[in-house]
Amino acid sequence: MQSIFGTDGIRGIFDKELTYSLAYKVGYALGVSTKPNNPILLGRDTRVSGYILLEAISRGINAAGKEFIYLGICPTPAIPFLIKKEKFSGGIMISASHNPPEYNGIKIFDNNGEKIKKKLENQIELILETANNLKLSTYKKTSIRENNNLFNIYTEGLINTMGDENLDGMKIVLDTCYGSATTCAASIFKKLGANVKVINNEQDGLKINLNCGSTCLDPIIKAIKENNADMGFSFDGDADRVIGVDSEGNIIDGDHILFLWGRELLEEKLLTNNTIISTKMANLGFENTWNKIGGILHRTEVGDKFIFEAIKKKKALLGGEQSGHILSKINNFCGDGILTAIQISKYCKKKNISLRSWLNSSFSPYPQKLTNILLNFKFKNIDKSYKELINETIESFSNIKKDNCRVYIRPSGTEPVLRILVEARNQKEVDSLSTKITTELSTKIYKISKTL
């Protein structure tokens, strides 16, 4: 049996890779696997398929003899935060993060509020293999009610991270991309004193992530300029990541957030061994500049669970991804886009500096080009000989290692694409090498597709 888990839980197109039956069995398997007798916490983003999957998962949990509590539409980080604080036995967030509306996903957390480890993934998959004869009729349907009191505990927790600081006088634009951030981002920033303009703020699962949010910054750049705002923050579908934008439309991605936030902690002598954690996607300019100021950048594979593992191993206080998924000690390393946006705003206010000026003091990024090759097959499911053919090409290009040039190629863990990252100091070198790699890999992938 091929693993159903990717780099961030289970994900796929609803009713194709991710079905009602599978969601039911996952709920059942988690219910059987969790040892504490406390309820399992459930939440979802705004996708149309979310409530259908919620019903399936909750039925599965009940069929396993366990209870659940439904938080409602919420940011993903609310689930681990509340598991830890309220001692739930585990949790599930139904979301496909930054993916388009037709996708959905199941993110599973253990009783410590951490993404489940490989051992529990294997245990769940083993239960799934023997659960084919489960009958949905084993559960008597009841209405699923939201728990608003719990959600308020999460939002108050975010506000409390400001301490005695406020955002009075700051003009901030938020793009909640029709997703989870619609539930609280605007109200939190208003409570903190900011003058808030919010766009794409309806809970619309048919529009989630479409031409908006952290993967499409044109709307927030336009809104910032039209409203003469100081800065803006654009979230993804489940609000666990964020990208910042300054008053002139310049982008503050996860690399810049880590560098700027990390430098503050470095100057305060708070970083263990001056170390921050990022992935193989992090910009070379970031790494080189961080090293020059006395820091150490430890790289992991792409995925917040790998960053979290490295944070624990290195006893680091800060880590994250270029995509804007930032993990900090403040909330037990739950990647939280709203928390990150609050902290960036807080630093600007405390330092009495504009985000534009702060960004000017950051590193100069090397030119990068990220190309996606669409796959009409699942990379991990293809024949070993085909996989080796692609891996040989990937390895030959990935071995290009110079001080000022880097290639990183990987199959996405959340989408049917092969991602090719090329970076160098010279844009022409980036474009030339990227074209060469993409052409060669596309040719091989096309040939493999024709035989499948």
Side-chain angles (χ1 to χ4, degrees), residues 236-252:
D236 70 334
D238 64 338
D240 65 353
R241 65 171 73 173
V242 68
I243 298 293
V245 180
D246 71 15
S247 57
E248 295 181 18
N250 299 295
I251 296 166
I252 296 91

Side-chain angles (χ1 to χ4, degrees), residues 312-369:
K312 287 178 69 177
K313 186 176 180 181
K314 301 284 183 181
K315 296 181 180 178
L317 301 181
L318 185 68
E321 300 181 274
Q322 190 181 72
S323 60
H325 200 157
I326 308 297
L327 285 68
S328 79
K329 188 184 179 182
I330 292 174
N331 66 340
N332 196 39
F333 305 105
C334 304
D336 193 324
I338 298 173
L339 172 66
T340 300
I342 289 171
Q343 296 306 308
I344 295 303
S345 304
K346 177 183 176 180
Y347 273 119
C348 287
K349 182 68 183 296
K350 191 175 180 179
K351 292 166 70 69
N352 193 26
I353 190 173
S354 70
L355 186 55
R356 176 72 190 117
S357 297
W358 204 25
L359 179 61
N360 278 340
S361 73
S362 187
F363 66 92
S364 297
Y366 283 19
Q368 283 187 332
K369 187 170 184 179

Side-chain angles (χ1 to χ4, degrees), residues 129-194:
E129 283 186 46
T130 60
N132 289 329
N133 295 324
L134 277 178
K135 294 181 180 179
L136 300 184
S137 58
T138 56
Y139 168 73
K140 184 178 179 182
K141 187 175 179 180
T142 59
S143 61
I144 301 174
R145 296 180 181 177
E146 298 178 18
N147 190 312
N148 293 322
N149 291 332
L150 279 174
F151 190 71
N152 291 337
I153 292 172
Y154 164 70
T155 57
E156 284 302 313
L158 287 174
I159 291 170
N160 290 338
T161 65
M162 282 289 289
D164 295 329
E165 303 287 336
N166 63 61
L167 304 179
D168 288 350
M170 299 183 76
K171 198 169 185 180
I172 299 173
V173 177
L174 305 174
D175 182 354
T176 56
C177 79
Y178 305 105
S180 291
T182 59
T183 56
C184 61
S187 63
I188 287 172
F189 272 83
K190 285 176 183 176
K191 284 180 182 177
L192 291 172

Side-chain angles (χ1 to χ4, degrees), residues 100-120:
E102 64 270 21
Y103 283 79
N104 217 324
I106 301 172
K107 301 182 180 185
I108 308 176
F109 300 86
D110 64 18
N111 64 325
N112 291 314
E114 298 174 9
K115 297 276 179 71
I116 60 170
K117 309 294 188 297
K118 191 65 181 174
K119 183 179 178 181
L120 186 50

Side-chain angles (χ1 to χ4, degrees), residues 26 32 55 63 74 77 90 112 119 140 232 249 279 281 299 333 349 369 402 413:
V26 169
V32 170
E55 183 187 78
C74 63
N112 291 314
K119 183 179 178 181
K140 184 178 179 182
T279 74
M281 300 291 283
R299 292 180 184 263
F333 305 105
K349 182 68 183 296
K369 187 170 184 179
K402 305 175 188 174

